[in-house]
Amino acid sequence: MPPPTVAPPVLLSLDYATQQPGLPELPQSVVAYTEGALRIGTDVPDGNHGIAADQTVYRDVIIQAELSLAEGDDDDLYGLFVRSPSPDFYYTFAVSPSGHVVVSRYDGEHDPLVAGPLAAEMPFARGLRQTNLFQVVAIGPSLTFLLNGMVIVSEVVEADYQEGYLGFYVHHGQQSARAEMAAHWIQVRGVFPESAESPAA
């Protein structure tokens, strides 16, 4: 008889249609709950903005979030950031409404690790207000990025940065007046017992 399977513990689960925790005020961006979603917008050209899903430092986790671009154009990106110990360091996983995917490392400036159009056979809902499922499996120095259940890429990253904040990310290009992403829900599951810890006081 096989041993019983145990689901990884849920560390965070927010459905923004019914759960709307307090929001910070961010310069040069708009953060609000609109139409049952968390909206993050900016009108700064070539601007990058994000908001942490909560004030918890995460280690080895599985992240899932349903996201869409509510306003913008084909040079805008929306997605997730992970492994951010400070505002000056993070990894992003984002996609444009036309299906251009970018996985990037930020350490004072953006360093694209992967950038290009999705393959034609990849499941992806194109256009504004079309929801897609973003997933990141972060274990040790390995980050695996999935879109709608399909693996995009796996990257081995710095061993010194194996924990940090995670949340939502939007990049505004230059074609539209503003870019605004919508986060519909997010779930974070732990892989090991020490997958999450509160930030130091």
Side-chain angles (χ1 to χ4, degrees), residues 81-91 106-107 161 163-165:
F81 75 84
V82 297
R83 293 284 174 87
S84 179
S86 71
D88 298 326
F89 189 94
Y90 52 84
Y91 291 90
Y106 182 81
D107 187 6
Y161 298 102
E163 64 181 27
Y165 297 97

Side-chain angles (χ1 to χ4, degrees), residues 48-172:
N48 300 286
H49 292 278
I51 180 173
D54 72 340
Q55 293 303 304
T56 302
V57 173
Y58 291 98
R59 295 184 183 179
D60 300 297
V61 291
I62 301 165
I63 309 154
Q64 297 189 92
E66 187 178 83
L67 311 174
S68 62
L69 191 69
E71 295 183 36
D73 211 322
D74 283 346
D75 65 340
D76 299 322
L77 300 168
Y78 67 102
L80 298 171
F81 75 84
V82 297
R83 293 284 174 87
S84 179
S86 71
D88 298 326
F89 189 94
Y90 52 84
Y91 291 90
T92 60
F93 170 37
V95 68
S96 75
S98 63
H100 187 89
V101 66
V102 178
V103 174
S104 185
R105 173 186 182 273
Y106 182 81
D107 187 6
E109 62 182 31
H110 280 274
D111 177 21
L113 304 176
V114 173
L118 290 169
E121 64 272 16
M122 291 289 292
F124 179 69
R126 298 173 186 271
L128 296 179
R129 297 185 170 86
Q130 300 299 308
T131 59
N132 288 283
L133 179 64
F134 289 71
Q135 298 162 285
V136 183
V137 180
I139 301 177
S142 175
L143 300 178
T144 300
F145 302 94
L146 304 92
L147 187 62
N148 296 318
M150 301 290 288
V151 173
I152 300 296
V153 69
S154 291
E155 292 285 337
V156 176
V157 299
E158 290 92 341
D160 292 341
Y161 298 102
Q162 294 191 29
E163 64 181 27
Y165 297 97
L166 59 85
F168 309 109
Y169 167 82
V170 59
H171 167 80
H172 181 219

Side-chain angles (χ1 to χ4, degrees), residues 3 6 11 29 31 33 52 88 111 137 139 143 155 177 182 185 189 193:
V6 178
L11 305 176
S29 66
V31 182
Y33 294 111
D88 298 326
D111 177 21
V137 180
I139 301 177
L143 300 178
E155 292 285 337
W185 58 263
R189 287 184 175 271

